[in-house]
Amino acid sequence: MPTEFFNRVAQAAGCPSGQKDVFNCPVQQDTSVLQKANFDITETARYRMWTFVPETDYKIFTQRPSQQLRPGKRLNGRRLMTSLQSTANEGPLLTLRDIATDKDFANYIHTLLPLLDEGLRKRVLQVYAPLSPQEFTAPFSTTGTSPPTALEVSDFAVGPQQRAFNLNWKITFGCLAYWLADAFSSSSRKSWKYEYSIPPASHAADFFGNGWLVDPTQIIPADFAQRFRKAWGNFIIHNDPDWQAWDSSAPKMQNLNVTGGFSVRKFTIAGLMAAQSYGDVRTDIRLVDAYTWEGNRGKRCNFWRRNADGIPA
């Protein structure tokens, strides 16, 4: 799909279709021509769907991420701390919000991943089936280590809508962070991963974790902010954030969270409501099993690596 959108832009910019080097023609066009082509093609995309993403050009990106980000592959860099969209609820801002039934969720899979064949779509429904038989009526934070999991409920949603949030996040950001950590955990490289879970933990919420910026939707204890800043400082200065490095055979990550207080549902951003923590909130930072996290997230990311052609990724 990324290549298809690029080809559409090239054609909209007046470049002939079918040419071998599709890149050279668009870069020679006037900027106003390219801007109009970009606008026209973006208008054809579905609501809240990515139109343009990096594509494999066999020069800068020599392979798709699922292939290139494997242990032992040639990569630049020695150390990595994966802050790549590592908040607990990345999906809500990026996902359709009218998914009320299992049928809606099945249709959303077809919309989000049109390259999947029918057999693989059915497999996705199985992989993202609820792990708990209980039906939840109100959003709340999960523990990450015990039921219910993010397949059933989060600070933002429950049921099919939450599964859609979770699915979109994994194929867009979440699993890529796992693959990056894997890729930098072999040979002479080292990687570390964290997940930012302070409710409501929406997209980019970790920008506020250092305590220097104010986000009215989350309470940041002073000692939390200090430890978060120190981790980044240690990584930059001493090449180690001071927690266990990632091991692809037994992956661990640092979960950055708070505990205590009480939960209130309020509006966040973009018209979304979410459970937010108030009151006597205390720092809760601990090392967790990244594979079994949220009902075996690592297993789901392995599923997407095996079936990455259908994303494509």
Side-chain angles (χ1 to χ4, degrees):
M1 293 302 291
T3 301
E4 172 63 22
F5 277 122
F6 189 90
N7 287 336
R8 291 182 190 178
V9 168
Q11 292 174 28
C15 299
S17 60
Q19 59 181 350
K20 186 176 181 180
D21 190 350
V22 71
F23 182 74
N24 280 337
C25 176
V27 299
Q28 295 173 21
Q29 303 302 310
D30 184 82
T31 180
S32 61
V33 174
L34 292 176
Q35 288 177 41
K36 185 177 187 307
N38 171 68
F39 177 85
D40 290 344
I41 300 303
T42 301
E43 282 284 286
T44 68
R46 293 178 181 269
Y47 179 67
R48 291 194 179 276
M49 300 290 285
W50 297 100
T51 309
F52 299 109
V53 295
E55 65 170 287
T56 305
D57 63 354
Y58 304 103
K59 294 179 181 178
I60 298 175
F61 298 99
T62 58
Q63 293 178 301
R64 289 184 284 108
S66 60
Q67 300 168 329
Q68 186 66 35
L69 298 178
R70 288 182 179 273
K73 285 285 190 176
R74 182 181 176 183
L75 297 167
N76 292 323
R78 296 288 184 184
R79 287 166 293 275
L80 173 76
M81 188 156 85
T82 58
S83 59
L84 174 74
Q85 310 303 347
S86 291
T87 62
N89 295 305
E90 293 282 354
L93 286 177
L94 314 171
T95 309
L96 296 175
R97 302 174 193 167
D98 57 353
I99 303 169
T101 66
D102 290 340
K103 183 178 180 180
D104 291 340
F105 180 58
N107 290 336
Y108 179 67
I109 294 173
H110 182 69
T111 299
L112 184 66
L113 302 167
L115 299 183
L116 294 185
D117 60 35
E118 184 62 27
L120 196 49
R121 280 198 292 272
K122 290 180 179 178
R123 183 73 180 111
V124 173
L125 287 172
Q126 295 172 351
V127 170
Y128 282 83
L131 299 179
S132 171
Q134 183 177 355
E135 292 188 4
F136 302 95
T137 58
F140 59 88
S141 299
T142 59
T143 66
T145 57
S146 59
T149 73
L151 290 175
E152 294 96 26
V153 61
S154 74
D155 296 311
F156 285 88
V158 300
Q161 182 66 71
Q162 170 55 25
R163 296 205 300 279
F165 286 162
N166 192 264
L167 168 64
N168 195 0
W169 173 45
K170 293 302 175 296
I171 65 172
T172 306
F173 299 124
C175 289
L176 184 59
Y178 274 53
W179 300 345
L180 277 165
D182 279 345
F184 278 84
S185 66
S186 61
S187 187
S188 59
R189 300 183 179 88
K190 292 184 73 174
S191 62
W192 297 263
K193 186 185 182 311
Y194 70 77
E195 179 144 313
Y196 188 91
S197 300
I198 292 182
S202 58
H203 179 66
D206 52 333
F207 289 170
F208 303 91
N210 57 29
W212 293 333
L213 301 172
V214 176
D215 176 4
T217 71
Q218 51 179 321
I219 295 178
I220 312 293
D223 63 326
F224 179 100
Q226 183 181 34
R227 290 176 66 178
F228 193 37
R229 292 196 302 264
K230 187 176 181 180
W232 272 108
N234 283 339
F235 177 70
I236 294 167
I237 298 172
H238 304 297
N239 301 322
D240 191 328
D242 199 24
W243 69 71
Q244 184 174 325
W246 183 273
D247 179 347
S248 57
S249 63
K252 303 287 185 182
M253 67 179 181
Q254 195 84 318
N255 185 46
L256 310 176
N257 204 351
V258 295
T259 188
F262 56 91
S263 181
V264 177
R265 288 198 74 201
K266 287 188 174 183
F267 280 103
T268 56
I269 56 176
L272 286 161
M273 289 194 72
Q276 301 168 42
S277 294
Y278 292 89
D280 183 21
V281 173
R282 302 179 301 279
T283 297
D284 183 13
I285 297 178
R286 65 183 69 182
L287 199 68
V288 299
D289 188 323
Y291 188 86
T292 61
W293 188 251
E294 291 291 7
N296 289 317
R297 179 192 293 167
K299 184 177 181 179
R300 292 192 290 278
C301 286
N302 288 342
F303 166 81
W304 285 117
R305 193 193 285 272
R306 293 193 304 272
N307 297 286
D309 288 349
I311 300 176

